[in-house]
Amino acid sequence: MNTMDFISGEIIGIDKPLGWTSFDAVKRVRGAIQRRLNVKKFKVGHAGTLDPLATGVLIICTGRSTREIERLQNGTKEYLATLRLGASTPSFDLETEIDGTFPYEHITEEMVREVLPRFTGHIMQVPPVYSAVKVDGKRAYKYARKGADVELKAKPLVIEELEMLPSELPELKLRIVCSKGTYIRALTRDIGVALGSGAHLTALCRTRVGGIGLADCLTIEQAVEKIATCEVTYPDDFRIKD
C-alpha cells in the first residue's frame, strides 16, 4: 500500500483533462483528501495555471508543500502546440470564434524555420487580452468578454527552444521550452503575423514543468484512487487538536 503525508506535504503531478480549469483539478484532489482525512478544510494549491483548453502537467501541492508553489512555478515549461494558420480569433485559441481570415498559401516550411529564431532567447511579449493579467485591479479577460478595449504592456520572458515538428501546413506543430509567464497563445499570434498571415491555437499540451514530466503524472481518477486507498502518515510534530 502506498503511504502519503498530506500535512508535511505531497507534490502530485496531474495530467489535467481537456475542458477542466486548474481550479477544477485542485478542487477534486482537495475533496479526496478531505474525505480521506475526514476534515472539512485542507490546504491544497497548484503551481502554474493551465487554460481549460490545454491539457498536461499540472502540479498540485498539499499542506506544507504549498510553500513550494512559487519555486515550482518558476521551473522551465515545455509544451506541444498545434497552430492553425490563416485565421485568427480574439482569444488566439478556440475559446472564441474566428474573427479574421488571412492568406496562408505562401507559407512554406522553409519560411517557418526562418521565422522561428526571431522568437527564441530573451524576448518581449504582449499577453493576450483574454488572460488573467490584472488591469486596474481587474482581470483582463473580464474587460475582453465585455468588448472593452484593454492595452497590455509587453513583458520580458525567455524561450529556450522553439522547434517545428512534422506538420502539414496550414496546421503547424511546435515544441516549445520556455520560462514562467510565457503565453503560447500570444506566441501563436506573433508567429502568424511574422509569417504574413494570422494564426490561432487549436491544441496545447504542457509536457513538463521543471523536473516533472507527463510520464510522472496521474490522471485525476488515478490520483483520487491513490488518495482514497493510501496509508496516511503524519509528521512528527503533528498533534490532534482537542
Side-chain angles (χ1 to χ4, degrees):
M1 177 180 289
N2 70 88
T3 61
M4 301 186 83
D5 183 344
F6 301 111
I7 295 171
S8 293
E10 296 285 345
I11 296 175
I12 306 170
I14 296 290
D15 183 358
K16 189 191 78 65
L18 183 68
W20 285 49
T21 66
S22 298
F23 179 74
D24 289 336
V26 169
K27 184 178 179 181
R28 185 73 180 277
V29 170
R30 181 191 292 121
I33 294 172
Q34 288 172 175
R35 289 191 297 274
R36 186 67 184 85
L37 298 181
N38 194 27
V39 296
K40 292 183 178 180
K41 293 183 179 180
F42 197 78
K43 193 171 186 179
V44 179
H46 67 83
T49 301
L50 272 179
D51 289 339
L53 294 179
T55 64
V57 180
L58 180 70
I59 299 176
I60 293 182
C61 302
T62 81
R64 296 170 187 170
S65 287
T66 55
R67 301 169 186 169
E68 298 292 307
I69 284 177
E70 184 174 357
R71 177 186 65 82
L72 292 166
Q73 284 182 157
N74 289 333
T76 299
K77 317 289 194 304
E78 182 176 55
Y79 296 90
L80 296 179
T82 303
L83 289 57
R84 186 74 180 184
L85 301 172
S88 64
T89 72
S91 59
F92 312 134
D93 66 4
L94 295 176
E95 179 184 343
T96 53
E97 298 293 327
I98 291 173
D99 65 347
T101 56
F102 306 85
Y104 62 84
E105 293 81 4
H106 63 285
I107 300 173
T108 63
E109 288 192 14
E110 184 178 358
M111 281 182 64
V112 174
R113 297 185 193 283
E114 289 176 354
V115 160
L116 293 185
R118 300 183 198 175
F119 301 98
T120 57
H122 293 263
I123 67 171
M124 299 294 291
Q125 184 186 77
V126 178
V129 175
Y130 280 80
S131 68
V133 174
K134 285 192 174 181
V135 179
D136 297 329
K138 191 174 180 180
R139 301 293 185 185
Y141 66 79
K142 293 187 177 181
Y143 291 101
R145 287 171 182 166
K146 292 180 179 179
D149 291 330
V150 181
E151 184 174 344
L152 300 179
K153 295 181 180 179
K155 296 185 177 183
L157 53 90
V158 180
I159 296 183
E160 297 178 12
E161 298 179 47
L162 184 52
E163 176 189 5
M164 180 180 178
L165 301 177
S167 306
E168 293 186 15
L169 301 177
E171 185 178 81
L172 175 59
K173 294 182 181 293
L174 300 173
R175 185 182 70 87
I176 304 149
V177 179
C178 57
S179 67
K180 172 188 175 183
T182 303
Y183 283 93
I184 307 302
R185 289 181 289 127
L187 179 63
T188 297
R189 168 201 64 202
D190 296 341
I191 289 173
V193 171
L195 290 169
S197 183
H200 63 284
L201 192 64
T202 58
L204 182 66
C205 178
R206 185 158 67 190
T207 55
R208 180 169 60 88
V209 177
I212 299 178
L214 266 179
D216 306 308
C217 292
L218 303 172
T219 65
I220 289 289
E221 292 75 16
Q222 288 171 337
V224 169
E225 175 68 15
K226 182 176 181 179
I227 292 165
T229 59
C230 74
E231 178 182 348
V232 178
T233 60
Y234 297 90
D236 293 338
D237 60 352
F238 176 72
R239 297 291 181 271
I240 298 175
K241 295 181 180 180
D242 295 331

